[in-house]
């Protein structure tokens, strides 16, 4: 029985992780939420973890009362999140919280020798260098949950020690494919939240609309697979059937295909190297009929170039890109700024926060703080 901690169990990835649990042999030892304590209580009663955490302190107090008749430990805040990651007795930690709030718990889990099923891409964008180094030192596996990175991971198993020459990341293109920056500038929150293929949390859905999500994934792939930015290509694939591809030195290109459903990559991260039956409906290529591919439009989606620039510069620029983006997306979701302003504010933060090549965890936290401040001002 694998012991699993799920950070962010009440979110889109978190609930889908809970959904596939019956397919795998697993015992849940920890669950966390921010404020959705009704759902967390339900999950806790069903799965009987050792501990749970509500990041929000007020929510945690209510949750503690709700679970008073059980012997489940109820924790709060960052400290609680870190305990759930590192001290719950987990073998593997699913990082399904949204945002750079996942960084410290992920680092704590790695330092405690836990494998990571990584959904929380912001962690790698902010501190990929530090996270991958720590994982290597602690002999910890970072197993990708993100569908593109899972596809690359699955294809790369054919490498047999040969070098990957190129990674080709597919992108759905989001709800605004084919529009110009001008046409997109004042789209509404509802329009931006209407993703054509995937149902996900609000933040990543907005990132998909700006295509910052693909920029974040570009950086995520760079760190996960130790690739140079020049060797990572992005291609828009509207149907989200080909989840990504790898190219070898002889020019052979391998892809992983499937219907757009996160439960397969989540499950594979938890059962790797084994494959077990999965609830996800099977792919019928005849039903799909036609698949289309396009070069990305860098003029319409400036977030892509901003992320590529942060990938080239490395150092603290990933943290700046991500911090500014999280703040700007938050402003957009609260109707404070226009859609087109998200990328403007990220660009401004990249220009303004001083560049640091060598970074520590403290530098990452400080760059994140500064970037958010600039993006909000
Ligand atoms: P959701 O917003 O649906 O869920 C996020 C989870 O984190 C919830 O449990 C939420 O609690 C919790 N949370 C939110 N804010 C905080 C905080 N400040 N401190 C602690 N916990 C917090 O996000 P998704 O599931 O969509 O995404 C999670 C991660 O997975 C992201 O990094 C995303 O990029 C990545 N990912 C998601 C995919 C998807 O299909 N959804 C696909 C690939 C990657 P509460 O319920 O109270 O809000
Ligand atoms: Mg993805």
């Amino acid at each position: 029985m694998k012991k699993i901690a799920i950070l962010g169990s009440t979110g889109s990835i978190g609930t889908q992780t809970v959904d596939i649990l019956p397919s795998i042999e697993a015992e849940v030892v920890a669950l966390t939420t921010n404020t959705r304590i009704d759902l967390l209580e339900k999950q806790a009663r069903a799965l009987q973890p050792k501990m749970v955490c509500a990041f929000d302190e007020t929510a945690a107090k209510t949750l503690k009362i709700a679970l008073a008749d059980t012997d489940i430990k109820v924790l709060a805040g960052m400290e609680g999140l870190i305990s759930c990651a590192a001290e719950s007795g987990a073998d593997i930690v699913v990082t399904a919280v949204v945002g750079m709030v996942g960084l410290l718990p992920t680092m704590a889990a790695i330092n405690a020798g836990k494998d990571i099923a990584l959904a929380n891409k912001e962690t790698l964008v902010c501190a990929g260098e530090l996270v991958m180094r720590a994982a290597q030192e602690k002999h910890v596996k970072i197993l990708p949950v993100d569908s593109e990175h899972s596809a690359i991971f699955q294809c790369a198993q054919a490498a047999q020690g040969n070098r990957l020459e190129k990674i080709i990341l597919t992108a759905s293109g989001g709800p605004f494919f084919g529009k110009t920056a001008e046409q997109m500038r004042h789209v509404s929150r509802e329009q931006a939240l209407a993703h054509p293929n995937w149902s996900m949390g609000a933040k990543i859905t907005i990132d998909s609309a700006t295509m910052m999500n693909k920029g974040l994934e570009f950086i995520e792939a760079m760190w996960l697979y130790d690739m140079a930015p020049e060797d990572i290509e992005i291609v828009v694939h509207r149907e989200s059937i080909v989840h990504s591809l790898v190219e070898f030195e002889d020019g052979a290109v391998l892809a992983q295909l499937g219907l757009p459903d996160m439960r397969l990559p989540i499950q594979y991260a938890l059962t790797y190297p084994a494959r077990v039956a999965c609830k996800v409906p099977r792919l019928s290529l005849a039903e799909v009929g036609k698949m289309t591919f396009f070069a990305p439009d860098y003029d319409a989606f400036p977030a892509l170039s901003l992320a590529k620039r942060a990938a080239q510069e490395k150092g603290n620029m990933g943290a700046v890109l991500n911090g500014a983006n999280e703040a700007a997306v938050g402003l957009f979701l609260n109707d404070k700024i226009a859609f087109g302003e998200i990328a403007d504010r990220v660009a401004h933060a990249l220009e303004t926060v001083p560049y640091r090549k060598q970074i520590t965890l403290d530098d990452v936290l400080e760059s994140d703080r500064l970037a958010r401040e600039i993006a909000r001002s």
Side-chain angles (χ1 to χ4, degrees), residues 7-319:
L7 308 185
S9 62
T10 54
S12 162
I13 293 290
T15 51
Q16 294 182 84
T17 306
V18 170
D19 189 46
I20 56 100
L21 285 176
S23 317
I24 63 179
E25 285 182 18
E27 176 191 339
V28 171
V29 293
L31 297 167
T32 83
T33 185
N34 184 21
T35 58
R36 235 178 298 175
I37 48 174
D38 291 353
L39 178 54
L40 194 84
E41 183 191 344
K42 228 194 225 158
Q43 291 178 334
R45 289 193 184 276
L47 299 167
Q48 293 292 319
K50 247 201 283 189
M51 54 177 82
V52 297
C53 169
F55 188 80
D56 181 272
E57 307 270 344
T58 314
K61 279 188 190 133
T62 315
L63 183 63
K64 194 162 186 164
I65 297 165
L67 289 174
D69 63 315
T70 70
D71 39 16
I72 301 168
K73 205 160 146 188
V74 180
L75 305 168
M78 181 53 80
E79 230 171 274
L81 217 51
I82 289 175
S83 294
C84 286
E87 288 153 23
S88 57
D91 303 310
I92 185 161
V93 179
V94 180
T95 63
V97 293
V98 58
M100 98 83 108
V101 72
L103 174 59
L104 295 179
T106 305
M107 279 304 247
I110 293 171
N111 287 325
K114 317 290 182 197
D115 287 335
I116 306 292
L118 185 129
N120 179 241
K121 63 191 85 182
E122 292 90 346
T123 286
L124 282 187
V125 173
C126 289
E129 193 183 334
L130 306 177
V131 171
M132 295 311 287
R133 193 191 302 149
Q136 203 167 22
E137 282 169 9
K138 296 284 176 182
H139 307 287
V140 152
K141 290 194 213 51
I142 310 280
L143 297 151
V145 167
D146 213 345
S147 57
E148 295 78 0
H149 304 74
S150 175
I152 296 160
F153 179 61
Q154 294 178 58
C155 296
Q157 284 166 38
Q160 304 279 330
N162 293 294
R163 199 173 74 83
L164 297 187
E165 191 171 82
K166 200 160 66 170
I167 281 176
I168 304 160
L169 281 177
T170 52
S172 72
F176 304 131
F177 172 75
K179 292 208 185 319
T180 64
E182 206 39 55
Q183 289 168 330
M184 264 181 268
R185 188 139 189 104
H186 295 285
V187 293
S188 70
R189 186 175 180 275
E190 286 61 40
Q191 287 170 309
L193 282 171
H195 196 282
N197 302 350
W198 297 95
S199 154
M200 311 178 284
K203 190 260 177 183
I204 183 176
T205 306
I206 300 303
D207 285 346
S208 300
T210 59
M211 287 196 80
M212 180 58 91
N213 184 50
K214 211 49 54 180
L216 301 178
E217 290 183 352
F218 185 96
I219 300 175
E220 183 185 12
M222 173 178 89
W223 291 121
L224 271 176
Y225 302 106
D226 193 21
M227 296 294 283
E230 309 78 72
D231 298 331
I232 307 174
E233 189 181 306
I234 297 171
V235 65
V236 175
H237 164 45
R238 291 298 283 159
E239 296 79 12
S240 298
I241 297 293
V242 178
H243 296 312
S244 277
L245 315 89
V246 302
E247 187 171 326
F248 293 104
E249 274 180 302
D250 58 2
V253 177
L254 263 57
Q256 187 256 328
L257 284 70
L259 294 173
D261 191 315
M262 287 308 295
R263 289 174 298 178
L264 178 63
I266 295 169
Q267 177 174 304
Y268 189 60
L270 293 173
T271 62
Y272 168 82
R275 287 188 183 271
V276 301
C278 185
K279 293 182 162 182
V280 173
R282 299 295 163 115
L283 173 66
S284 156
L285 283 175
E287 261 171 50
V288 173
K290 186 171 80 179
M291 296 198 281
T292 54
F293 300 91
F294 306 87
D297 182 344
Y298 287 90
D299 294 327
F301 297 97
L304 281 176
S305 309
L306 296 172
K308 281 194 168 184
R309 178 177 144 197
Q312 290 286 356
E313 292 180 2
K314 302 192 178 65
N316 64 337
M317 286 298 124

